[in-house]
Amino acid sequence: MFWFLLITEKYPNNSHLSIMKLFSKKYLIISVVLILGLVFLNLFPNVSKTLENFIFKIFSPVQKLFIKTGNRITGFFQILLSIKDLGDENIQLKQKNIELETQLSELGEIKKENETLRSALNFSQKDAIIYEMASVIGKNIAGGQDWILVDKGAENGVEKNMTVVSEQFSLVGKVIETGENFSKIMLITDKNNVVAALIENKRSEGITREENGSDKIFLDFIPKNENVELGEKIITSGMDSIYPKGILIGKVENIDLSENQLFQKISILPTVDFNKLETVFILKSR
Amino acid sequence: MSKTIKIFLLISLVLFFQVGIFPHIAILGVYPNLILILIISLSILKGFKESLLWTIIAGLFLDFYSLSNLLGISVICLLIVSFVAFFLARNIFKKTNPSSVASVFFLTIILYNILLLVSYKIIGNDFEIVFLKILINVLYSSIISVPVFYMIKKLFPVIKP
């Protein structure tokens, strides 16, 4: 009340600044209609979901185009900046490719052997997973990189808590909200998204979480006596009953063995570049 | 250029930079909210009342593209910030030189962040206060806001009080 009187006393005659003008009939009506509208939309979530769906449908082609164009433009500049490293990177990638092809053929043999043994021991097949491909059509508009919007929803059989992976089948996050034709995906970089994980070679289990507002993730609860090496792969352990076991999350980027901590603090370099996500796969069970 | 084309061009540019470019030049995952900057600019240039409809539409848009459980938080925060920006620009920082413009944006962006924080705490949304991120957001947005403001000023003439 004091501030109101102070302001009106200081600016009594200026027609643009008098607070009393804001309480004119027209603006009171607008305020009341706005408040009633917002209350209505919040009381009837189906109506707001329908409106949300409609708005996403209109804006999604535009956003998709803008995200793709933005990725191409920034990708072009990144190539220019990293041009001198391309030669070395090419040699490393060729070598890695040969190693992976060798591993793949070994794994193919192991898979055959596994199938033979399963058949012989009469083990039932695990539920097959159906992958629903979806395009990224939006992001957190207000800034921050904790969730994305994709163009598949309840109509396509998408449900809450379904796992989402990238084109390279690395972990992206999980579905947190579905509409008819869209879904919101919470990324693993969101502070509320905790993933049960393990170090692939060591099989030490822990959980991943976002590192205090930095958008980096780290693996917690790994004992200090565990000899972890840089570059080791971190995969999902399946212990949280949300994410299936064996999905690649990232690699060990840094290890902090400070004396004042009970466990090692392992920073993870995610495999997925969340800035450049355009296509994802939603894991649906049969 | 007709007003409709100017508005369409402006909205397209803002959306393009907001979703296509700025996520790639984020600092610690933070980048400016161009929609907030646009609304503050319109409030300074056209006045609070004239930009009221745009403020409400922008607020609803931000609400739909957020994880908030309650629709209307961004609308209310934007309305308050829009009025404060208009008030500051007309009374405290009367000249539209770069330092005055930057000051108005600096103060109103801080206010917007505080309002969001308080709103999320009231409705019980888990909103972690990371001061470093808020600081980066305010500084980054304030720097970007000055060229954006002058670009919008070219498109829309100022309404003199």
Side-chain angles (χ1 to χ4, degrees), chain A residues 7 11 14-17 19 21-22 27 30 34 38 41-42 48 51-52 55-56 59-60 62-63 65-67 69-71 73-74 78 137-147 149 176-177 184 186 190-192 210 212-215 275-276, chain B residues 11-13 15-26 28-35 48-50 52 56 60-67 69-72 75-76 79 83 86-87 90-92 112 126-128 130 133 137 159-161:
Chain A
I7 289 162
Y11 307 102
N14 192 318
S15 63
H16 279 268
L17 301 160
I19 304 255
K21 282 278 181 180
L22 280 179
Y27 291 98
I30 292 172
L34 177 65
L38 289 172
L41 285 173
N42 281 300
S48 64
L51 183 61
E52 203 175 35
I55 287 171
F56 288 152
F59 282 99
S60 67
V62 176
Q63 279 209 64
L65 172 67
F66 286 164
I67 289 167
T69 310
N71 285 343
I73 292 171
T74 51
Q78 276 171 0
I137 57 168
K139 295 183 181 184
N140 184 355
I141 290 274
Q145 300 170 336
D146 43 9
W147 64 272
L149 193 69
I176 47 158
E177 199 182 311
K184 284 183 184 171
M186 185 189 281
D190 185 281
K191 62 172 174 56
N192 292 316
E210 186 250 3
N212 276 336
S214 66
D215 279 352
N275 282 331
K276 294 188 178 161
Chain B
I11 292 169
S12 302
L13 269 175
L15 266 181
F16 172 65
F17 277 92
Q18 186 68 37
V19 300
I21 302 292
F22 273 108
H24 297 280
I25 48 175
L28 281 186
V30 174
Y31 49 92
N33 183 345
L34 285 178
I35 294 169
F48 174 69
K49 292 180 220 171
E50 285 74 16
L52 191 59
I56 293 169
L60 281 171
F61 192 76
L62 285 174
D63 272 328
F64 285 133
Y65 277 92
S66 78
L67 289 178
N69 298 326
L70 196 65
L71 205 62
V75 175
I76 293 166
L79 281 170
F83 175 72
F86 166 72
F87 183 83
R90 289 289 187 269
N91 293 285
I92 316 287
Y112 181 74
D126 192 16
F127 190 94
E128 196 180 345
V130 184
K133 270 194 162 178
N137 187 347
I159 293 176
K160 303 249 185 260

Side-chain angles (χ1 to χ4, degrees), chain A residues 4 17 43 70 83 118 127 131 153 155 158 168 173-175 189 195 210 282 286:
Chain A
F4 169 78
L17 301 160
L43 283 177
I83 213 159
R118 278 183 172 272
D127 286 336
Y131 297 91
E155 255 185 22
V158 178
Q168 293 78 29
K174 63 179 178 182
V175 177
T189 50
V195 183
E210 186 250 3
I282 302 171
R286 194 190 294 277

Side-chain angles (χ1 to χ4, degrees), chain A residues 189-202:
Chain A
T189 50
D190 185 281
K191 62 172 174 56
N192 292 316
N193 203 351
V194 171
V195 183
L198 57 88
I199 303 171
E200 193 182 36
N201 292 337
K202 304 284 187 304

Side-chain angles (χ1 to χ4, degrees), chain B:
Chain B
M1 204 189 283
S2 78
K3 195 178 174 186
T4 314
I5 294 173
K6 281 184 195 177
I7 291 168
F8 178 75
L9 186 70
L10 186 60
I11 292 169
S12 302
L13 269 175
V14 163
L15 266 181
F16 172 65
F17 277 92
Q18 186 68 37
V19 300
I21 302 292
F22 273 108
H24 297 280
I25 48 175
I27 302 171
L28 281 186
V30 174
Y31 49 92
N33 183 345
L34 285 178
I35 294 169
L36 171 65
I37 292 171
L38 172 66
I39 293 304
I40 296 171
S41 303
L42 287 177
S43 188
I44 295 169
L45 292 167
K46 293 174 71 62
F48 174 69
K49 292 180 220 171
E50 285 74 16
S51 57
L52 191 59
L53 181 63
W54 289 109
T55 307
I56 293 169
I57 291 170
L60 281 171
F61 192 76
L62 285 174
D63 272 328
F64 285 133
Y65 277 92
S66 78
L67 289 178
S68 164
N69 298 326
L70 196 65
L71 205 62
I73 290 198
S74 299
V75 175
I76 293 166
C77 292
L78 271 187
L79 281 170
I80 295 170
V81 164
S82 175
F83 175 72
V84 169
F86 166 72
F87 183 83
L88 287 174
R90 289 289 187 269
N91 293 285
I92 316 287
F93 304 97
K94 292 181 188 173
K95 296 176 187 173
T96 51
N97 54 37
S99 57
S100 299
V101 167
S103 303
V104 172
F105 276 101
F106 183 75
L107 292 169
T108 48
I109 290 167
I110 288 176
L111 177 64
Y112 181 74
N113 277 285
I114 292 170
L115 287 170
L116 272 187
L117 230 130
V118 169
S119 309
Y120 282 133
K121 284 289 180 193
I122 289 171
I123 65 168
N125 258 26
D126 192 16
F127 190 94
E128 196 180 345
I129 301 170
V130 184
F131 286 113
L132 180 62
K133 270 194 162 178
I134 294 172
L135 179 66
I136 293 169
N137 187 347
V138 169
L139 290 173
Y140 198 172
S141 302
S142 301
I143 293 166
I144 296 295
S145 62
V146 175
V148 170
F149 173 80
Y150 284 106
M151 189 194 78
I152 296 170
K153 195 179 172 187
K154 275 196 181 296
L155 287 173
F156 296 101
V158 177
I159 293 176
K160 303 249 185 260

